[in-house]
Structures are given as C-alpha cells and as structure tokens.
Amino acid sequence: MALKTGREYQQSIENLALEAHIMGRAETHLTDHGLVRPSLAAVAVTYDGAHAEDDATRSLFRVRSPLCGHDVNRFTHLHRSTEDLVKKVTMQRYCGHTTGCCFQRCVGMDAANAVYSTTFDCDADCGTDYHRRFKAYWTGIQEDDLVVDGAMTDPKGDRGKRPREQRDPDLFLRVVERKPDGVVVCGAKLHQTGMLNAHEVLVMPTMGMREGEGDWAICFAVPTNTPGIRYIYGRQTSDTRKLETPSLDAGNPLYGGQEVMTVFDHVFVPRERIFLDGELPYSGRLVERFAAYHRQSYGGCKAGVGDVLIGATALIARMNGVAKASHIKDKLVEMIHLNETLFACGIACSAMGHATPAGNYEIDMLLANVCKLNVTRFPYELARLATDIAGGLLGTMPSAYDLADPVIGPYIKKYLAAAEGTDPVDRVKVLRLIENLVAGSGSVAYLIESMHGAGPPMAQRIMIGRQGGLEEKIACVKGLLDIR
Ligand code: SF4
C-alpha cells in the first residue's frame, strides 16, 4: 500500500466516471469541468501534504495506523492520542492557508471517528455486529487512501414535524425496503461538501431518532458511483468567473470549494456496509459526536483561510500606501487576534481530549462547541475589517477583459497606480482574492459555512448550555460563601 499523490488521487476520481447536473446540463467529465476542477485541486493538497519535502509537514499528514499496521494519511486516521487531535487541527490550518478555501476531506475523517466509537458502544449494549463491520470497511479506506464524504444533513421539510409526520417521508433519508442481504434507501443529503471529489459516502442520520423512527436511524457507506445516486450542483456567488479566461477575476486562481445536493433514489446498501439500523439511542450519540469533531475541525481550517485573508489585507494596505497608519496596524492586530482565538479553541478542545471506550480519542465537547460558536462570528468580523482596509475599489474594479484591452487597459493601469513600486495588476489580484473570500465564491465556505456548517449557532449554544457545568459553578460559590 502506498500513500497516493495528488495526481494519483485525481486520476482515481476520474476513474469513478461520476455524473452531475451542473447548471441545467448532465455533465460526465467532471474532473475537466471548470467549476469542479478547483475543488478537486484543493482535495489534492491533502494528498500532496503526505509527500511534502520537509519532515515537519510530512509528519502532520502521515501517521501509523494500528488498524491496518501501515502509515496512512491522517485524513483517514482514527485518532489515538491528544497529540493526534492537535496534529489534525494543525494539518487543517496548513491546508486552509495553502488553498484559501475548503479542502473538503475532513468530513469523512470526522464521520469515521464518530462512527467508530458509536458502533463500539452500540455493540456493547445491543449485541450488534456494527463495530467489526466498520473496522473492516475503514481498514480498506486506509489501505486504498480514499476520500470519504460524511453525509449528515437531510432536507428536513417542515422543521416543526418529525420524520414520519412529514408530507413526504423521504425528506429524511430512510430505509424503504428490507432484503435478506441488505436494505434499500431513499432520501437526500444537502450541502454535501466534497461529495463529487469522494470515492465513498458515509451516510449518518441527521438527528437523534425516537420511538417509531427506526427506518430513519440508518448509517451506512456506499461508493459514490453506486446506481441510484444523483448529484445536483450548488451555485455559488460569482461561480462562473471560474470559467472565464483570463482567470484574474476568479480571485483564487488555483483552488475553490463546492457543494452538491445528493439524491438517493432506491439505493441498495449491502448488509456488510450497514453500521446502524434502528438502534435509536445511538443515532443521537452519533450526531453529537460527528458534530463535535467537525466543530473542532473548524478551529483549524477557518484559521488557515483566515491566514490568507489577513495576509492579503496586510499586502493591500502596503500596496495602497497605508501600512504605517496606526489604525490600519491596529485593525490587522485585531484580525490576528480573532483568527488565533479560533485556532486556540481548536487546539484547546484537542489537548483536553480523552480516550473513548472504543480506543480512539474524542475532543472535549464543551470546548469544541465554544470553538464553533466563535467560528460563527469571527470570520464575519475578519471579513468586515478586510473590507474596511481594502477600500471601496473592492466592489468597483473593472474586469480582467478591460484590463487586457489594448486601448482601455492602459487607462486602468494608470488610474489604479498606488504606492511606489506596486504593479496595478498585482493590486487587482490581491483585491480579487479578498473579494473572493468576503463576497465571492470563497465566501460560501468562509462565511456561510462558518455559520451553518456542523450546525448553526443555536446548536452550539444548546450544547454549551448542557455541558457548561452551571450546577458545579453554583456549588463552588456556595462552598466559597458557606451557603447550604
Ligand atoms: Fe474541512 Fe473546513 Fe471544509 Fe469542513 S469546512 S470540510 S473542516 S475545510
């Protein structure tokens, strides 16, 4: 077994021959598609990291797996220590600041760690056989160094109703038929980051299921090219700029993220690939664990993208000739403070992690929720400060076509001149990158996803309320004041 390079990974995705509906057309050669290619390149960074020339970077990505007995890519690892958890977040920051976007591969890693410990608990309590199945399945994932999309979010229909009360029961993905060798499922998973760049999809329930909702308490994995699965591409702000030549207006010249709506239309799941089927209490436990791992992840990836935004903002201040102004310096310090606070929370919930009965490591749940709640706010403030420092040109720049025009181009260059030694075209490049992150296609991952990915702010507030230890704090005060 060898760890794949980015190039080998891209070839392996091409071999899957996936089809997706993109802007009204059924597209087949996805790896060559202008909208898809940047996101595939971003995932490839997670592979190339394992082959980095410097030892420090390589050691972030390579780790010995007790499951298969070899070195594996950390994106397929089941964490065995708090050091593993810290390295995970550090690796995600590296990927974030290398790509300046969502690199997509974390969802499967987070899902695997949650499924691993939850199947162990379920088997211990219910005598099921899920943990052995999952270990066998995940050993294959590690051996083949695959990308797995973790799929949790159902459409949910009327939010005031339970799954079986919905007008259409498929609004929550469910088992519609049981066969001797497996089950057939119908439903959909929304907001699937990285699904089109994955070899496998690991489906989980979207919430804790209750009595009578056994058909919705289903967890399983299938290859992404399984018959019956359909992909419908999500639009992003300014997405078609990725198709333009010259490419300057895209902002991020190499990388980008993407999301798809994924429909499961009578998809057959073999028994060996089912990891939960109707054991109700474990559906909620699985959701909680996956969410907490992914809330930890944001402390790494969003800090990495924040590095890019801060770097671009500092550079544009220099190009604009205002880098020495005290209020600019102070705003940049504020941006760094906010960004490092996100990272600090990611590291803190990792360092305070603990072993699960299954043997893999779990983050501190309270601190992971604090981490994600900060992520729902701080990138917005970072974007506001970047917009402030960049100036109004951020929203009014002429297009790359005009810049390349032999008659109009020289006017643009003449009037976009700024600080001594600054090339106006370089200035436009930096502004377009900032625009990409605060208002363009990159803002989908940096802002909207920061709000809603791994659950919206209220989900974290509920968990913080549950885990914040209010009673213990009250007991401390009573002890201090000798109140009985
Ligand atoms: Fe990874 Fe961040 Fe993208 Fe989630 S949002 S998949 S943590 S890069």
Side-chain angles (χ1 to χ4, degrees), residues 75 92 95-96 99 101-110 193-194 293-294 296-302 305 445 449-450 453:
F75 278 97
Q92 288 168 312
C95 293
T99 61
C101 69
C102 168
F103 40 91
Q104 307 147 55
R105 202 176 173 187
C106 329
V107 202
M109 165 177 55
D110 292 341
T193 305
Y293 279 120
H294 209 55
Q296 169 212 23
S297 286
Y298 277 32
C301 81
K302 301 303 178 201
V305 178
E449 196 173 88
S450 287

